[in-house]
Amino acid sequence: MASLELLPQDIFNKIALDLEAADLATLMLASRRLNRLACCDELWIEKVSADFGDREYIIDMLADAGIDIANLVYQSAELVPWRHQQVTRDSEDNCSDGSDGSDSDSSMSNADGLYSYTGVGLRCYRSRFVRVFPRSGDDAVNSVKNAEATLEAVKHMLRDGPQASSDVFAEAAFRLVLVQEYYPNSAECYYLWALICFMLNAFTPSLSFLSIGQSINGDFAPLKELAKEVRSIVAGAYGTGNQAPLLDRAGSGPSPHLAKALAIVFQRLDIDRDGVLNAAELSRMVQQTNGQAPPAAVISQIIGSFGGQVQAKSGRMVVGWNLASLTEFYIAQTLDDPSETRKDLAKFGFDPETLKNA
């Protein structure tokens, strides 16, 4: 016990994070010094994240996917605050031993101002603990019902898939935080966060959420299926071994290799050199990649989906595709099936692995 008492606060915190909260509470009773160490606000605030899920990590991963829920979380009265709450360092010491913070021990003086002992952290942990482990059976039943209803509402919000608005994605992601408040080990929450990121082509955050979800419940089938799909697209889009990537790191644009290849392809397809692929030129493109001439209705559809009225080199507006349209088409195809893009490039005379002009 004496060796623990000699530890500086930062080392004690690292050890304490691996202890059960009940063990820390018992440790507080052992001595004045241990009570002080175990009452550190920063320790308990960090322990909330360690024991009940790191909310800041969730916010950051969603931000990487282009979803900002920080204000929704921080301003919500339905969530127990932690981490973002600034502890008042000059406030009255409220540790359970009644210490006034004036202990003469230099290791307890907190001269560097890194730690506080107001009791805010411990109260924060207790508030969250009671939510996750309600004392009343009725409260537990109500929590389950509310969580199930919220999860169903989120699934309904996501029914439009990638076509949903950014506000819908943000609201859905925030509602999952409300569920995770009471059920930090909900694999379904992490699956739905991963699905939202996947819909936005944010593969790295998606894989991060999937990894956490699978660590909670490796047998949850939706997690397995989505993980397989995301990894397949990532492997195809970013390449394995000596393969050149098709997408940029953000997953929303072409890699330099693909951009260069598509610029060459566009020049080859643009027979009349007007800077626009007209219906006839697009028809030849589809025939070259698919092996047969497409119906006129198909050409009209792909022009409408990725092009339309675009400006030719002469300055006049022409119906067809410009280089941006061709790029947009192949980004969409890559996100759906990277192997098809590599096959098409091979038919255009490029090495499907290196994307170099053969």
Side-chain angles (χ1 to χ4, degrees):
M1 193 70 73
S3 60
L4 280 177
E5 293 179 339
L6 296 176
L7 292 175
Q9 187 69 65
D10 59 336
I11 302 301
F12 179 86
N13 286 2
K14 291 179 181 179
I15 296 172
L17 284 174
D18 291 328
L19 298 178
E20 296 291 336
D23 295 333
L24 269 178
T26 300
L27 204 59
M28 283 182 173
L29 304 176
S31 71
R32 175 183 174 86
R33 169 61 174 163
L34 286 174
N35 183 285
R36 174 74 170 183
L37 287 169
C39 194
C40 174
D41 289 323
E42 287 70 22
L43 164 61
W44 287 102
I45 289 172
E46 186 67 21
K47 194 159 179 60
V48 172
S49 294
D51 290 2
F52 305 123
D54 192 338
R55 186 186 290 171
E56 288 295 328
Y57 181 79
I58 292 169
I59 292 172
D60 289 344
M61 285 299 97
L62 290 169
D64 287 346
I67 305 170
D68 183 5
I69 65 167
N71 288 335
L72 290 172
V73 170
Y74 296 153
Q75 295 173 7
S76 174
E78 300 178 69
L79 298 170
V80 172
W82 80 83
R83 188 177 286 271
H84 67 279
Q85 182 176 2
Q86 297 299 316
V87 176
T88 304
R89 303 196 181 283
D90 59 354
S91 63
E92 179 183 355
D93 192 304
N94 290 317
C95 290
S96 58
D97 68 338
S99 167
D100 62 3
S102 59
D103 197 296
S104 60
D105 187 335
S106 61
S107 67
M108 296 172 64
S109 65
N110 195 30
D112 56 7
L114 290 176
Y115 303 104
S116 58
Y117 305 87
T118 66
V120 168
L122 182 55
R123 289 195 297 274
C124 184
Y125 187 92
R126 286 171 176 166
S127 297
R128 187 71 192 285
F129 184 90
V130 170
R131 287 195 166 186
V132 177
F133 303 103
R135 297 167 182 169
S136 163
D138 290 341
D139 287 344
V141 170
N142 289 334
S143 293
V144 170
K145 290 181 178 179
N146 291 336
E148 290 176 345
T150 301
L151 288 172
E152 288 304 313
V154 168
K155 293 173 188 176
H156 184 72
M157 294 172 71
L158 300 177
R159 68 190 184 281
D160 291 334
Q163 287 70 43
S165 69
S166 58
D167 288 342
V168 168
F169 283 128
E171 180 63 24
F174 169 67
R175 291 193 186 190
L176 292 173
V177 174
L178 298 181
V179 175
Q180 201 256 357
E181 173 83 351
Y182 294 86
Y183 296 95
N185 290 327
S186 169
E188 191 165 10
C189 280
Y190 287 96
Y191 162 71
L192 290 170
W193 278 318
L195 181 62
I196 290 171
C197 293
F198 175 65
M199 289 178 178
L200 294 171
N201 303 324
F203 302 120
T204 298
S206 182
L207 287 172
S208 296
F209 283 127
L210 288 168
S211 177
I212 298 173
Q214 289 183 305
S215 70
I216 294 171
N217 184 356
D219 295 326
F220 188 51
L223 281 170
K224 289 182 177 180
E225 294 167 4
L226 182 58
K228 182 179 179 181
E229 185 173 1
V230 175
R231 291 190 182 108
S232 175
I233 291 177
V234 168
Y238 293 99
T240 57
N242 295 325
Q243 283 185 331
L246 296 169
L247 299 180
D248 61 14
R249 297 188 67 178
S252 57
S255 68
H257 302 81
L258 180 60
K260 182 177 180 180
L262 291 178
I264 295 172
V265 169
F266 187 87
Q267 289 179 347
R268 291 176 181 172
L269 294 172
D270 186 17
I271 304 299
D272 57 12
R273 299 292 185 266
D274 67 344
V276 177
L277 301 183
N278 58 37
E281 291 164 339
L282 284 171
S283 181
R284 282 192 287 270
M285 180 193 84
V286 175
Q287 184 171 7
Q288 185 173 351
T289 55
N290 292 354
Q292 58 184 7
V298 171
I299 295 301
S300 296
Q301 183 178 2
I302 64 172
I303 288 176
S305 297
F306 298 96
Q309 290 281 345
V310 294
Q311 190 171 22
K313 289 180 180 179
S314 64
R316 65 191 181 90
M317 301 304 292
V318 180
V319 175
W321 279 8
N322 55 18
L323 178 56
S325 305
L326 182 70
T327 302
E328 183 183 352
F329 169 79
Y330 273 105
I331 293 299
Q333 178 172 280
T334 299
L335 291 170
D336 183 60
D337 187 349
S339 66
E340 284 298 315
T341 296
R342 294 187 186 274
K343 290 176 183 177
D344 283 359
L345 288 172
K347 292 173 182 176
F348 288 130
F350 291 82
D351 186 312
E353 303 297 308
T354 65
L355 307 189
K356 292 180 179 180
N357 197 3

